[in-house]
Amino acid sequence: MVGRHHLPEDVLVDILLRLPVESLLRFKCVCKYWYALIKGPSFIEKHFHHKNNRARLLIYNLKVAHEGHAIVKSVVFSLLPEKIVPGVIPEQKTLLHLPRVFDFTCVAGPVDGLFLVQKKFYGDGVSLGLWNPATREFRPLPPAPFEIEFFLSDHDCQFGLEFDLLTQDYKVVWIRVFWDELGQGVHPQVYACVYSSCHNSWRNLTPEFNVSCTVSSPLDATYLNGVYYWLSRGLDKIYNIGSFDMGSEQFGEMQGPDIPSEHWGTLTLRDGSLAVLAGDPGKPMTSVYDVWIMNQEGSWYKIFTVQPQIVAHWPRGFWENDKMIFEINETSQLILYDPTTRQVTDLGFQLDLSTAGCWVFNYKESLAPIKRGNESQGRDNAVEQIEHFFDIIPIDHKPLLTVRGL
């Protein structure tokens, strides 16, 4: 009879690092040592950055249906395989399906595998939650203590998310730009709050930067090396890049790329660098897209131009740096376009274009925990928790806006 032999620790760790999150969650039950190893911050960080943990396309698809006089929304998150074969519709894996929700929006992420999600209700009321699709953990955040002047309205919003894999601490910044309703000229006002998981609370901030008129929604999570970025545009039609340093909690602003005034722009990440995708919104049939990269703060250069020969479309994201995802208006399809080969691949989604409810994410699995130490870590009711959050408004929920001046 052959005796039992224990694997050397470095060999064991190397094997476990190659496994998907679903397997590791089961292997935590093997013994106390494996449990402590897999939960450890060092292992979580190494697993997230391991070469076997490749980025995949995660598609959020929102659809609206009418049941009598009621409007019913459904949400599906579908994960595509690591390799997408040109011309072949890829297989989809459903990560989350919410058949009946009042409202559900991803407002930030993924950052280290985590998403910040939002539910709106009662006009301007908002609830936020943090979600890890791989571990199926969900955590609602407390209300933010905004104090908004009563005569301000029509605001733009930006959300930034940070997670430190080693300290297992995360922060959320929420920026809101409001406009003066009293007709005294264009004087936007900026409000901001930051959430810290260490204290499980929000804190008001005073942004110290010039306010631009519009804030553009990014294509994906524009968080890089501890700083969250967003694209804004002033009355002079010049694009600027706003920033928030999550460590120092300081705001900043720098010059954006030299984009023609009639073009639109959106911020994204490409190969670990900040990038801007710009195009002419007046030419949906023959659009030309320029991709700009920032090589140092405020210094930009154009790396390539794309002119896809496809019918009316709208860009939804990038894949493997230079491939682009478009939604096609005429066919309600989501397609992958390779500018080098001009190959078009149907991704197999039927979109509800009337809702503009499709988002595309570059997603990597993460073991990052979002629960606090005294909260249940069970996975059996994780889907029920997120369904409850998006279907039911808590009775004790307090208003997010404190109105001043009434």
Side-chain angles (χ1 to χ4, degrees):
M1 178 172 139
V2 180
R4 292 179 59 190
H5 296 279
H6 294 283
L7 288 173
E9 182 176 354
D10 58 339
V11 176
L12 172 64
V13 171
D14 184 63
I15 293 173
L16 293 178
L17 286 174
R18 299 170 183 270
L19 300 178
V21 168
E22 186 176 5
S23 298
L24 292 171
L25 294 176
R26 294 199 304 268
F27 291 164
K28 284 167 59 177
C29 302
V30 170
C31 63
K32 291 183 179 179
Y33 174 73
W34 283 29
Y35 178 83
L37 174 66
I38 295 171
K39 279 192 62 177
S42 177
F43 182 88
I44 290 174
E45 183 186 31
K46 290 178 181 177
H47 179 269
F48 183 78
H49 294 294
H50 196 275
K51 62 182 180 180
N52 278 27
N53 189 23
R54 299 184 180 92
R56 300 163 68 178
L57 286 178
L58 179 62
I59 312 298
Y60 164 104
N61 194 7
L62 170 68
K63 293 191 175 184
V64 175
H66 295 271
E67 295 183 2
H69 297 289
I71 297 177
V72 179
K73 295 181 180 180
S74 64
V75 169
V76 179
F77 281 85
S78 302
L79 188 64
L80 301 188
E82 294 177 4
K83 184 174 179 57
I84 297 177
V85 179
V88 178
I89 297 177
E91 182 180 356
Q92 302 175 17
K93 178 183 177 182
T94 300
L95 291 189
L96 178 67
H97 179 206
L98 301 177
R100 299 176 66 88
V101 294
F102 175 72
D103 188 72
F104 185 112
T105 306
C106 283
V107 291
V111 172
D112 292 332
L114 305 182
F115 286 92
L116 183 70
V117 295
Q118 169 187 275
K119 173 183 72 173
K120 292 184 178 181
F121 55 89
Y122 293 154
D124 202 31
V126 172
S127 286
L128 298 173
L130 201 64
W131 175 46
N132 184 334
T135 63
R136 299 176 62 189
E137 286 186 344
F138 178 79
R139 173 181 174 78
L141 301 187
F146 282 107
E147 296 183 357
I148 309 300
E149 301 289 350
F150 77 95
F151 53 83
L152 299 176
S153 66
D154 298 327
H155 63 273
D156 292 328
C157 279
Q158 286 287 290
F159 295 90
L161 172 65
E162 176 205 41
F163 186 85
D164 190 321
L165 287 167
L166 284 177
T167 64
Q168 298 187 0
D169 182 28
Y170 53 86
K171 284 185 176 181
V172 175
V173 63
W174 185 356
I175 304 166
R176 309 177 79 176
V177 181
F178 286 81
W179 307 100
D180 191 339
E181 252 187 358
L182 299 183
Q184 299 178 359
V186 180
H187 298 291
Q189 296 191 32
V190 180
Y191 296 81
C193 282
V194 64
Y195 169 85
S196 170
S197 63
C198 289
H199 304 95
N200 191 33
S201 62
W202 293 83
R203 186 163 52 83
N204 283 304
L205 300 175
T206 303
E208 297 179 355
F209 58 90
N210 295 326
V211 180
S212 295
C213 289
T214 59
V215 179
S216 302
S217 297
L219 277 181
D220 50 21
T222 49
Y223 169 79
L224 187 65
N225 301 326
V227 181
Y228 165 66
Y229 298 92
W230 66 92
L231 188 68
S232 59
R233 194 183 194 191
L235 291 176
D236 53 8
K237 306 295 185 182
I238 295 176
Y239 283 99
N240 292 303
I241 309 294
S243 65
F244 179 75
D245 189 308
M246 291 288 193
S248 64
E249 297 186 355
Q250 296 295 313
F251 289 91
E253 192 172 46
M254 58 187 173
Q255 185 176 347
D258 186 17
I259 302 174
S261 60
E262 69 274 13
H263 285 199
W264 59 266
T266 183
L267 202 61
T268 184
L269 296 179
R270 179 188 179 274
D271 196 23
S273 298
L274 204 62
V276 170
L277 174 69
D280 186 348
K283 299 178 180 179
M285 300 292 288
T286 59
S287 296
V288 177
Y289 301 98
D290 295 325
V291 180
W292 299 75
I293 291 291
M294 186 178 72
N295 57 355
Q296 57 183 351
E297 186 170 314
S299 176
W300 298 81
Y301 66 98
K302 185 166 32 176
I303 57 171
F304 63 88
T305 297
V306 181
Q307 186 174 3
Q309 302 299 312
I310 51 180
V311 296
H313 57 269
W314 189 253
R316 282 299 176 186
F318 283 95
W319 174 241
E320 295 179 341
N321 292 334
D322 297 338
K323 298 183 180 71
M324 297 181 67
I325 297 97
F326 292 98
E327 64 177 44
I328 307 300
N329 297 339
E330 292 185 359
T331 60
S332 301
Q333 290 174 287
L334 197 67
I335 63 101
L336 180 67
Y337 178 76
D338 187 334
T340 302
T341 63
R342 297 192 175 183
Q343 175 78 48
V344 175
T345 301
D346 182 2
L347 295 180
F349 291 87
Q350 195 68 22
L351 307 178
D352 188 344
L353 298 182
S354 63
T355 67
C358 172
W359 286 267
V360 177
F361 306 101
N362 283 262
Y363 169 74
K364 290 174 63 175
E365 286 190 336
S366 174
L367 285 160
I370 58 175
K371 299 284 189 179
R372 299 177 67 84
N374 58 352
E375 293 179 331
S376 169
Q377 299 290 329
R379 300 173 65 237
D380 292 341
N381 64 344
V383 174
E384 293 181 5
Q385 289 176 359
I386 198 168
E387 287 178 344
H388 179 82
F389 180 81
F390 284 100
D391 280 340
I392 300 175
I393 300 171
I395 296 176
D396 61 348
H397 189 95
K398 298 178 182 179
L400 291 178
L401 300 184
T402 301
V403 179
R404 296 193 310 212
L406 292 178

